[in-house]
Amino acid sequence: MDWLTDWIFDLLYGIQKSICYIIDFIKEIFYMLAGIEPVRINGQETDLLSNFLLSDAVKKAFWSVFLIAVALLFLFVIIAIVRSEYANGENKKSKTLILGKACQSFIIFLMVPFVLITGIALSNTVVSSINKSMNPYVLEQGQEATIGGQMLVTSGYYAYIGDESERAEIEIKFITGELDYNDKDVVAEYYDLRDLDFFVGIIGGLVILVMFVMSSISFIQRIFDIILLYIVSPISVSTITTDDGQRFKQWKEMLIGKVLGAYGIILSMNLFFIIIPQVQQIAFFGNAFKNGIVKILFLIGGAFAVTKANIVIANLTGSHAGGSETRELIANMRTGKNITRAIGSTALGVGGAILGGKTFMNSNKSGGFASGI
């Protein structure tokens, strides 16, 4: 039965490495969406968000809204002057103050594009540096760490069979990709597949995979939100003369929360891969099953911490714009599930009507089949 046992463990490791390979692939996309890694467009390297903001279509939309906002600014100035003429006490404002706010609005009109593009470029540079500083393998080896290698080292803490004096060097080679974790024969030279902690490797890999997918969707949503805020910015600026800049302040907080909040995911992700390997080395109980439960709880808790890190950073910047993003994402996923279910039910009904004819339709009207969906 040894061949069957070996086949089962080979299959389990095949599942683990496949999950990790997908995660490493999504990680590359993730860094591009975050702006840490550049994308190549027409032979030039640039970050994805800046490319969209500087595209001709977005520029055209922005300047169209800008012209509308200028017209609104003149209208709001007239309204503010008329309102001030009929106001009493503290509500009365001088025409000089109103015109001064109008000039301030016009200057902000012109500053928004420059400040936004510069701020995004600066924040990308700073976060990229922090990301490298939180990854010791980049600093020591000059290489990028692979998640599959980290998962192998973590799940194989008690499965190592190589030379103990070379263990640290071997682990770093797997983590940095110098030794390929996808090659089962290479892995088998240093780890006994029977002793790998597949509970942590597979379940943990699935948790990380879900974490990365949700984070990637959050970054894509962030790109759309920032572009929308950029395009409508002149409208919020035009109201400064009537509400003393309250709407513009709200717009500014939302934009800062969107730009900086998402970077919290990157920092929290690095923290996740610093903490989890250390947790694997801790024996919380004398029972292996209980230890496995605690470790999987750390994986799940760490995954939730990563997906909600943007809320923490957004709150630190004084913005609550990121607070509902996770709830909105879950609500959108539920909506998609309901739409899929409705489409599936409709398709099933049409298919049944074609294949089953009158008998199917009669049974469906009586609630015999459709009621079970």
Side-chain angles (χ1 to χ4, degrees):
M1 296 296 293
D2 287 344
W3 68 270
L4 179 59
T5 305
D6 291 339
W7 180 82
I8 291 174
F9 283 106
D10 288 348
L11 177 62
L12 289 174
Y13 185 71
I15 294 173
Q16 176 177 322
K17 74 177 185 180
S18 298
I19 293 172
C20 291
Y21 179 80
I22 296 173
I23 293 173
D24 280 320
F25 170 67
I26 295 178
K27 179 185 176 184
E28 297 178 9
I29 302 174
F30 180 78
Y31 279 155
M32 291 181 182
L33 294 174
I36 293 180
E37 294 293 334
V39 294
R40 183 172 292 276
I41 301 174
N42 297 327
Q44 296 181 347
E45 290 188 347
T46 180
D47 70 276
L48 193 61
L49 180 56
S50 296
N51 174 72
F52 286 133
L53 290 173
L54 296 174
S55 65
D56 293 337
V58 173
K59 286 180 181 178
K60 184 177 179 180
F62 174 81
W63 289 113
S64 298
V65 175
F66 175 83
L67 296 176
I68 296 173
V70 170
L72 288 175
L73 177 61
F74 283 107
L75 178 61
F76 290 148
V77 168
I78 295 172
I79 293 174
I81 292 174
V82 173
R83 183 189 299 173
S84 178
E85 290 296 328
Y86 290 95
N88 296 318
E90 296 180 356
N91 294 326
K92 191 174 183 64
K93 298 179 182 178
S94 66
K95 294 182 180 63
T96 304
L97 179 61
I98 295 173
L99 293 176
K101 288 184 177 298
C103 293
Q104 178 187 1
S105 299
F106 195 79
I107 293 174
I108 295 176
F109 279 152
L110 303 177
M111 288 181 60
V112 165
F114 173 77
V115 172
L116 179 59
I117 299 298
T118 304
I120 290 174
L122 179 61
S123 59
N124 285 344
T125 302
V126 172
V127 174
S128 179
S129 300
I130 296 176
N131 176 61
K132 291 181 180 179
S133 66
M134 293 183 70
N135 191 333
Y137 307 107
V138 173
L139 294 178
E140 296 171 6
Q141 306 294 323
Q143 296 174 290
E144 188 70 37
T146 63
I147 295 173
Q150 289 176 318
M151 289 301 297
L152 172 62
V153 170
T154 301
S155 62
Y157 183 74
Y158 297 106
Y160 184 76
I161 57 175
D163 189 346
E164 195 65 33
S165 63
E166 299 178 352
R167 178 166 186 165
E169 182 181 353
I170 296 300
E171 289 180 344
I172 291 177
K173 286 183 177 180
F174 273 112
I175 290 174
T176 57
E178 188 174 345
L179 291 176
D180 187 6
Y181 69 87
N182 285 298
D183 191 334
K184 182 181 67 67
D185 294 332
V186 173
V187 174
E189 292 181 16
Y190 302 99
Y191 293 94
D192 186 350
L193 298 184
R194 295 169 179 261
D195 292 330
L196 286 176
D197 192 343
F198 290 110
F199 185 70
V200 171
I202 295 177
I203 303 299
L206 289 173
V207 170
I208 297 171
L209 179 60
V210 172
M211 171 190 76
F212 267 63
V213 171
M214 292 185 65
S215 299
S216 298
I217 293 174
S218 296
F219 272 106
I220 293 174
Q221 179 183 349
R222 162 187 177 262
I223 290 173
F224 279 89
D225 289 344
I226 291 176
I227 294 174
L228 177 62
L229 287 171
Y230 169 66
I231 291 174
V232 302
S233 61
I235 302 296
S236 64
V237 175
S238 67
T239 62
I240 290 178
T241 55
T242 57
D243 63 0
D244 293 328
Q246 292 300 316
R247 287 181 180 82
F248 175 67
K249 181 181 178 182
Q250 184 179 5
W251 174 89
K252 182 172 62 176
E253 289 183 352
M254 289 183 65
L255 182 65
I256 293 174
K258 294 291 183 181
V259 173
L260 298 182
Y263 293 125
I265 297 176
I266 299 173
L267 306 182
S268 185
M269 180 190 67
N270 285 327
L271 184 62
F272 179 89
F273 290 114
I274 291 174
I275 297 298
I276 294 302
Q278 298 181 41
V279 172
Q280 179 63 17
Q281 302 173 20
I282 300 174
F284 296 92
F285 301 98
N287 184 287
F289 177 75
K290 291 181 179 179
N291 284 328
I293 295 296
V294 175
K295 291 169 184 176
I296 201 64
L297 288 176
F298 265 94
L299 286 169
I300 295 173
F304 274 105
V306 171
T307 56
K308 293 186 176 181
N310 61 324
I311 300 175
V312 177
I313 301 299
N315 289 337
L316 285 176
T317 60
S319 170
H320 300 283
S324 61
E325 286 187 359
T326 303
R327 293 191 297 272
E328 291 175 357
L329 179 59
I330 294 174
N332 291 338
M333 292 171 67
R334 289 176 178 171
T335 302
K337 178 182 176 182
N338 293 334
I339 293 173
T340 303
R341 180 182 297 175
I343 293 173
S345 299
T346 303
L348 187 61
V350 173
I354 295 173
L355 298 176
K358 184 178 180 180
T359 303
F360 176 88
M361 297 302 294
N362 290 336
S363 64
N364 194 32
K365 289 179 181 178
S366 63
F369 182 77
S371 60
I373 297 178

